Amino acid sequence: DQQVKQNSPSLSVQEGRISILNCDYTNSMFDYFLWYKKYPAEGPTFLISISSIKDKNEDGRFTVFLNKSAKHLSLHIVPSQPGDSAVYFCAARGGSQGNLIFGKGTKLSVKP
Amino acid sequence: DAGITQSPRHKVTETGTPVTLRCHQTENHRYMYWYRQDPGHGLRLIHYSYGVKDTDKGEVSDGYSVSRSKTEDFLLTLESATSSQTSVYFCAISESRTANQPQHFGDGTRLSIL
């Protein structure tokens, strides 16, 4: 039973355009959501997070939007660059121990 | 980059043999985690530690044990490796459990069990 779902295994975008990565969750008790980026043969790298009491958080080219009523969050990358090509994981924090639950990831390809 | 070193980086072994993976950190963070990453499953928590000698199970703990005798080292042991434990294993650390102190990951250990 997946609590955090990334329904798109892959996404291809042209350089300079917007990339939108989506994530859905089922547990309304999650209090924080995080995005990680992962290059091949490396560990995931923290990108950006958002508290459940916010609906938007921005950091440079990266913006995360949270829609609590729809249990949906999205990561916007504007403008997309070839170096953004990676696998992006959505994660949610919850439970009594505050552990992270990860989605399966979306592979983003940004084409020059 | 967070000071996290995983060893070995690659290992091939046979079914039934014991395997120990090591995670070493230089950040003096309290929390340490072991995850496995498999195609179609994302990252799944195996075990975690919230201090020296304090550990607890994660989502997929069966067949794994852990130990933390020092702040800087977190060991993951497969007592009798099975082919289903072929995976990429990641260690992560965090200073606290708050999300503004996110987990930072090592570069992983690729483990193949034949």
Side-chain angles (χ1 to χ4, degrees):
Chain A
D1 182 24
Q2 271 186 273
Q3 296 190 65
V4 178
K5 302 177 185 179
Q6 294 179 257
N7 292 320
S8 298
S10 63
L11 174 68
S12 183
V13 171
Q14 207 66 32
E15 180 179 5
R17 306 294 291 269
I18 185 171
S19 295
I20 300 176
L21 296 102
N22 294 304
C23 180
D24 297 298
Y25 62 95
T26 57
N27 190 339
S28 58
M29 299 303 291
F30 289 142
D31 63 352
Y32 258 97
F33 302 89
L34 302 89
W35 285 94
Y36 283 82
K37 177 171 73 173
K38 184 183 179 306
Y39 293 120
E42 295 183 9
T45 303
F46 171 71
L47 199 54
I48 192 170
S49 65
I50 186 168
S51 165
S52 61
I53 63 173
K54 301 283 180 73
D55 54 19
K56 177 182 175 181
N57 187 27
E58 191 171 356
D59 183 2
R61 296 186 298 113
F62 302 91
T63 303
V64 57
F65 295 92
L66 176 63
N67 182 334
K68 284 186 67 176
S69 61
K71 295 190 178 67
H72 177 83
L73 65 154
S74 60
L75 174 68
H76 293 213
I77 306 174
V78 184
S80 301
Q81 301 173 353
D84 296 328
S85 297
V87 176
Y88 289 78
F89 290 99
C90 170
R93 192 183 77 152
S96 60
Q97 300 302 317
N99 290 325
L100 296 181
I101 299 172
F102 286 83
K104 294 181 179 181
T106 296
K107 183 176 182 179
L108 173 66
S109 298
V110 180
K111 303 197 180 304
Chain B
D1 287 347
I4 308 167
T5 303
Q6 291 188 232
S7 58
R9 292 295 314 277
H10 302 271
K11 186 172 181 67
V12 180
T13 190
E14 294 184 348
T15 300
T17 59
V19 177
T20 295
L21 308 183
R22 180 185 185 228
C23 178
H24 178 79
Q25 60 144 330
T26 59
E27 306 297 320
N28 201 36
H29 284 355
R30 178 181 175 187
Y31 297 90
M32 298 186 75
Y33 309 82
W34 277 108
Y35 291 87
R36 60 180 287 176
Q37 185 194 7
D38 303 289
H41 287 279
L43 289 150
R44 293 181 293 173
L45 182 65
I46 305 171
H47 280 280
Y48 63 98
S49 169
Y50 45 95
V52 173
K53 298 192 190 307
D54 291 323
T55 65
D56 206 348
K57 297 178 179 180
E59 177 189 358
V60 289
S61 60
D62 287 349
Y64 302 95
S65 63
V66 290
S67 65
R68 191 167 178 202
S69 59
K70 299 184 290 186
T71 298
E72 57 266 34
D73 288 326
F74 193 31
L75 303 181
L76 176 71
T77 297
L78 292 65
E79 300 288 350
S80 178
T82 67
S83 58
S84 65
Q85 294 176 310
T86 292
S87 187
V88 181
Y89 291 85
F90 290 100
C91 172
I93 65 173
S94 67
E95 194 169 7
S96 73
R97 296 314 274 289
T98 59
N100 61 346
Q101 297 288 342
Q103 295 179 22
H104 297 282
F105 286 79
D107 284 337
T109 293
R110 183 171 294 276
L111 178 62
S112 297
I113 300 164
L114 307 177

